[in-house]
Amino acid sequence: MSELAIEREIDRSKMQVSDEVAIQISGMNKWYGSFHVLRDINLTVNRGERIVIAGPSGSGKSTLIRCLNALEEHQQGQIIVDGTELTSDLKNIDKIRSEVGMCFQHFNLFPHLTILENCTLAPIWVRKVPKKEAEERAMHFLEKVKIPDQAHKYPGMLSGGQQQRVAIARSLCMMPRIMLFDEPTSALDPEMIKEVLDTMIELAEEGMTMLCVTHEMGFARQVANRVIFMADGQIVEQNEPEEFFNNPQSERTQQFLSQILGH
Amino acid sequence: MSEQNSVAFVATESIPPSPPPANQTGVVKWLRENLFSNWQSSLLTLVSLYLIYVILSTFLPWVLNGVWTTSSLTECREVLEGRFGACFSVLTERWNQLLFGFNYPSDQYWRPTLAFVFMLIAIAPVLFFDLPRKMLAFTVAYPFVAFWLIWGGTIMAPIVAFLGCAAAAFVFGAYGKNNFALGFIGAIVAAFAVWIIGTMLIPDGANEGAWLEHVPSRDLGGFMLNMMLGVTCVSLSIPLGIALALGRQSNMPLIKGMCVIFIEFVRGVPLITLLFVASVMLSYFFPPDANVDLFVRVVIMMTLFSAAYVAEVIRGGLAALPKGQYEAADSLGLDYPQAMRLIILPQALKISIPGIVNVAVGLFKDTTLVSVISLFDLVGMIRGPILGGSAEWNGVYWELWGFAALLFFVVCYGISQYSQWLERRLATDHH
Ligand SMILES: Nc1ncnc2c1ncn2[C@@H]1O[C@H](COP(=O)(O)OP(=O)(O)OP(=O)(O)O)[C@@H](O)[C@H]1O
Ligand SMILES: [Mg+2]
């Protein structure tokens, strides 16, 4: 909602977009019962691209992003993630899930495990990484999100911003090639939003492919190379951030932007 | 400070922390606050004190005057000479019968006693997970050791039983990872194959002249029988209950339907009916020459009964977990068994502890119902041979039933204390 200023210089040297396709969605439709939530979605995301998805509440942003790692099933069309097509085949689904990291609005850390165990669990059980190596890796990423000293605490003892950064570290420990974020900052206080956004910017600077549902327009302006606007289950408009914010084409987008930016 | 009253204020110094005001402690203050804060509470306090006095003034002399060494109620009355007192002699004289039943060979009492001591050791690493994990090896061996100690007979029987379980574990380990259902069914088939072949290999009369004298199931009795039923049924019904609860959540309509029907059926039927079924009818379901032991039949029925309740408790725990936990587990690429074992069940079981303990305590007390199908557990012993069958002790109700109540209370209170400790121990949400 706020246009949070991001003070520091952003290093764009590594933020290169390659020609390789990371995600390809074509003719995708999804229904909840008889309710048509996603309507004819076509989207190609290249490796290294950072995409921000915006839109009014209920427009299907979460549903779209959750279809990408099969947390929701789509009924029509094709989704190819990292060269693997998403079908009902459990093997494919597990493979894609281990390649795609996801961060949720409410963090969804495992409350019965310590921070370190949260981070090592999936590498140990899914990737079969030896425990010691998994712990080293977890510490590496916890340092990266700047909370190595909390490693032995439980999630319930951390602030919201810290929990979200742990959630990011937990995903990174699986060495994903794509990261999905579903409103990662909308459950946080302004002070904590910044620390989470900083972490996400750092990820972007390292060339991670990112799809991010967010209302942080400052983040979108500075980091995204494409903004996608959804309304009523449809992609209404997409453009580079400058164009998108300064020169929105559709009426729906203009209306949304004027509400969200408070002009 | 006066500046504080003006609108603009800036703190000029930081206020150092100071200790809280000294509490006026002391007995009198405590009494006044808790027992005599106003006239109503004073009245209640006095009435309660009077009631406690009345109860204790009858109960204490009864216990303190108690007679421990006579050999019949008549002798007790003679010793007491009209004084008011208990006749605890029945407990000392019938001690072994109360604990082991009246048919267990008296020179073999050390065997169930040893099995009991071993049980404490075997159960320790399960209950207190700080203990070294190596102790679990003993826990795995314990059922077979206890089986051999209590029933005696040929050592081949527990070995065959163990081999069957080992074969099941092996098959499940080999196939269960890829296909849970295949592994599960394969494990059951393997176990039964080993058991059937093994039983055929044991020669007839192997029990004669065995190392430990063979004791048939009908000779088991007393509190030992309650403990055996309680421990066996509780430890079997928890895994079965988990499986039923997960089955009830399953996407597969057939599995889900079977679990729902089973749970709802068992919950709708009184345990005593199931026990009668066990005692008379269950033999129809087994092959005619199988002649399945009454103890085994009772264990099956009680396990099924409490498993249905455990399943419902765990279902509540599963439902209480936020959907986000499933989604987080899925999005990390954990498969179903991993997500269940590592993420969902640890949390769901933690929520379910009070409910499971409730079921366990209830089941343990319900083991006394077997006295109705003429098994001589503690209650059966008291009702039958001791009160009904002997002229010496006819009429010592309070002492015997009080003793039975005390035994059950000690065990159940222990379980409940343990569960409270466990809940505190597992609390990670808020410190
Ligand atoms: N499990 C479900 N069953 C039925 N309808 C659903 C379900 N989940 C979401 N919906 C509906 O689908 C639509 C899109 O939901 P979605 O959560 O994708 O919206 P969103 O764009 O993420 O909104 P928000 O900004 O509020 O998160 C909404 O109208 C919602 O009511
Ligand atoms: Mg949403």
Side-chain angles (χ1 to χ4, degrees):
Chain A
M1 289 142 230
S2 63
E3 193 164 354
L4 208 95
I6 294 164
E7 297 117 20
R8 78 193 164 78
E9 274 302 294
I10 290 174
D11 172 14
R12 294 189 173 266
S13 62
K14 281 188 246 165
M15 293 167 90
Q16 301 295 334
V17 179
S18 80
D19 306 334
E20 205 185 325
V21 175
I23 299 174
Q24 168 122 39
I25 309 173
S26 37
M28 195 259 275
N29 280 282
K30 174 172 177 61
W31 289 263
Y32 280 123
S34 61
F35 175 55
H36 200 170
V37 255
L38 293 179
R39 307 180 189 174
D40 192 31
I41 305 285
N42 292 288
L43 178 68
T44 307
V45 182
N46 284 348
R47 199 162 288 298
E49 250 192 309
R50 298 158 308 279
I51 291 185
V52 162
I53 304 173
S57 180
S59 55
K61 308 176 298 285
S62 302
T63 313
L64 171 62
I65 215 168
R66 289 155 57 85
C67 279
L68 295 179
N69 64 356
L71 287 183
E72 302 286 353
E73 226 181 330
H74 61 286
Q75 278 95 25
Q76 242 175 40
Q78 200 182 33
I79 303 180
I80 300 177
V81 180
D82 218 25
T84 312
E85 185 179 352
L86 263 182
T87 55
S88 53
D89 183 356
L90 284 178
K91 283 238 167 59
N92 281 356
I93 290 181
D94 281 340
K95 179 165 179 293
I96 287 173
R97 281 175 177 166
S98 62
E99 302 293 335
V100 177
M102 176 139 187
C103 289
F104 302 87
Q105 182 175 5
H106 296 289
F107 334 130
N108 296 352
L109 293 178
F110 304 130
H112 62 301
L113 301 176
T114 62
I115 301 304
L116 188 65
E117 287 164 342
N118 264 278
C119 293
T120 55
L121 183 105
I124 291 176
W125 291 93
V126 180
R127 290 251 194 272
K128 316 285 178 213
V129 176
K131 183 162 183 245
K132 195 143 172 298
E133 202 184 317
E135 282 177 355
E136 280 163 15
R137 189 192 287 182
M139 287 315 292
H140 168 76
F141 284 113
L142 285 175
E143 259 157 47
K144 207 169 135 166
V145 301
K146 306 199 176 60
I147 25 182
D149 43 331
Q150 317 277 8
H152 295 286
K153 291 193 181 168
Y154 286 93
M157 302 150 86
L158 267 55
S159 76
Q162 289 173 325
Q163 290 194 40
Q164 192 60 290
R165 284 183 285 152
V166 171
I168 295 175
R170 177 175 75 178
S171 299
L172 292 179
C173 284
M174 287 295 280
M175 307 288 192
R177 289 152 65 87
I178 300 166
M179 284 287 291
L180 310 176
F181 294 86
D182 188 359
E183 305 200 24
T185 56
S186 55
L188 299 177
D189 294 339
E191 262 178 88
M192 301 172 182
I193 292 180
K194 189 172 170 309
E195 58 190 47
V196 172
L197 287 183
D198 275 343
T199 307
M200 291 167 62
I201 292 168
E202 235 170 88
L203 263 185
E205 283 170 343
E206 285 167 16
M208 177 69 79
T209 312
M210 294 165 67
L211 268 82
C212 192
V213 176
T214 183
H215 296 298
E216 295 300 333
M217 292 306 146
F219 174 79
R221 249 182 222 279
Q222 302 191 37
V223 180
N225 36 20
R226 215 179 338 155
V227 179
I228 290 178
F229 177 73
M230 287 184 75
D232 299 325
Q234 223 174 317
I235 297 184
V236 175
E237 185 165 349
Q238 54 172 312
N239 213 334
E240 292 184 347
E242 283 310 310
E243 276 294 295
F244 179 83
F245 287 111
N246 298 337
N247 190 13
Q249 300 296 315
S250 88
E251 200 179 311
R252 203 78 179 70
T253 318
Q254 290 160 5
Q255 193 190 342
F256 175 73
L257 284 178
S258 71
Q259 274 170 4
I260 205 167
L261 300 177
H263 290 314
Chain B
M1 271 184 269
S2 59
E3 299 98 305
Q4 227 159 331
N5 293 330
S6 65
V7 175
F9 163 73
V10 176
T12 48
E13 54 191 331
S14 60
I15 303 166
S18 55
N23 246 345
Q24 311 127 295
T25 44
V27 181
V28 177
K29 175 167 178 287
W30 185 87
L31 282 178
R32 184 167 306 139
E33 276 184 4
N34 294 291
L35 299 179
F36 301 100
S37 54
N38 53 28
W39 72 265
Q40 290 103 328
S41 87
S42 306
L43 186 67
L44 270 180
T45 304
L46 290 178
V47 170
S48 315
L49 281 178
Y50 177 71
L51 277 178
I52 294 173
Y53 168 77
V54 169
I55 292 169
L56 283 187
S57 65
T58 4
F59 182 67
L60 279 185
W62 184 72
V63 171
L64 294 177
N65 287 340
V67 181
W68 293 86
T69 48
T70 57
S71 60
S72 77
L73 183 59
T74 342
E75 278 182 45
C76 268
R77 294 212 171 106
E78 279 163 21
V79 173
L80 282 171
E81 293 169 326
R83 274 177 303 147
F84 183 63
C87 182
F88 293 122
S89 316
V90 64
L91 302 182
T92 45
E93 207 231 18
R94 296 295 173 101
W95 178 252
N96 288 323
Q97 284 195 357
L98 288 167
L99 290 193
F100 303 108
F102 60 127
N103 275 331
Y104 206 91
S106 53
D107 54 341
Q108 305 289 325
Y109 285 153
W110 62 271
R111 282 161 43 184
T113 313
L114 190 63
F116 177 74
V117 173
F118 281 172
M119 181 195 80
L120 298 180
I121 302 173
I123 229 170
V126 180
L127 298 188
F128 305 99
F129 26 79
D130 291 333
L131 292 172
R133 297 291 81 192
K134 283 192 188 116
M135 283 178 74
L136 282 173
F138 184 73
T139 311
V140 171
Y142 176 73
F144 311 100
V145 174
F147 171 65
W148 188 51
L149 276 175
I150 290 172
W151 277 272
T154 169
I155 195 162
M156 291 293 284
I159 289 178
V160 166
F162 178 76
L163 289 180
C165 294
F170 176 77
V171 169
F172 185 75
Y175 298 104
K177 279 210 186 67
N178 297 322
N179 184 335
F180 184 82
L182 179 71
F184 189 73
I185 295 170
I188 294 177
V189 171
F192 274 95
V194 172
W195 286 333
I196 291 169
I197 297 172
T199 321
M200 287 193 304
L201 288 181
I202 298 177
D204 285 345
N207 281 337
E208 262 107 79
W211 233 12
L212 292 181
E213 180 189 338
H214 177 64
V215 181
S217 290
R218 62 175 177 280
D219 289 354
L220 305 176
F223 193 60
M224 171 180 79
L225 188 58
N226 296 107
M227 285 294 283
M228 286 164 62
L229 285 171
V231 172
T232 322
C233 297
V234 168
S235 38
L236 290 178
S237 66
I238 289 174
L240 189 60
I242 294 174
L244 282 170
L246 294 181
R248 195 169 182 164
Q249 281 206 327
S250 166
N251 302 329
M252 287 175 268
L254 194 66
I255 292 185
K256 184 182 170 127
M258 283 184 348
C259 292
V260 171
I261 292 173
F262 175 83
I263 292 172
E264 294 304 332
F265 172 75
V266 170
R267 290 206 311 157
V269 174
L271 176 57
I272 194 95
T273 340
L274 293 178
L275 289 178
F276 278 121
V277 171
S279 81
V280 260
M281 278 174 54
L282 205 59
S283 41
Y284 294 125
F285 294 113
F286 292 108
D289 53 341
N291 190 17
V292 176
D293 201 282
L294 180 58
F295 179 82
V296 176
R297 284 183 267 161
V298 170
V299 164
I300 291 176
M301 280 309 184
M302 290 190 121
T303 303
L304 295 183
F305 182 78
S306 61
Y309 283 87
V310 171
E312 282 303 280
V313 170
I314 293 176
R315 186 169 73 110
L318 288 171
L321 281 195
K323 224 173 124 228
Q325 292 292 309
Y326 292 86
E327 291 176 352
D330 283 347
S331 73
L332 285 169
L334 297 170
D335 59 23
Y336 177 81
Q338 288 171 340
M340 284 299 144
R341 191 160 66 83
L342 302 167
I343 309 296
I344 305 302
L345 281 178
Q347 297 183 61
L349 289 179
K350 189 170 106 184
I351 305 174
S352 318
I353 291 171
I356 294 177
V357 168
N358 232 347
V359 175
V361 166
L363 178 75
F364 180 61
K365 291 185 293 184
D366 280 351
T367 56
T368 52
L369 285 178
V370 298
S371 62
V372 178
I373 54 169
S374 56
L375 283 178
F376 290 96
D377 75 315
L378 182 58
V379 168
M381 283 305 296
I382 294 177
R383 271 187 358 156
I386 299 180
L387 275 180
S390 72
E392 305 96 61
W393 300 114
N394 197 346
V396 275
Y397 298 104
W398 286 94
E399 294 81 348
L400 284 167
W401 293 121
F403 174 69
L406 184 70
L407 274 186
F408 279 96
F409 173 77
V410 167
V411 176
C412 295
Y413 185 70
I415 297 176
S416 125
Q417 286 299 306
Y418 168 74
S419 87
Q420 287 176 25
W421 173 85
L422 186 63
E423 275 178 64
R424 280 197 303 275
R425 178 58 221 276
L426 292 180
T428 59
D429 320 3
H430 31 73
H431 280 246

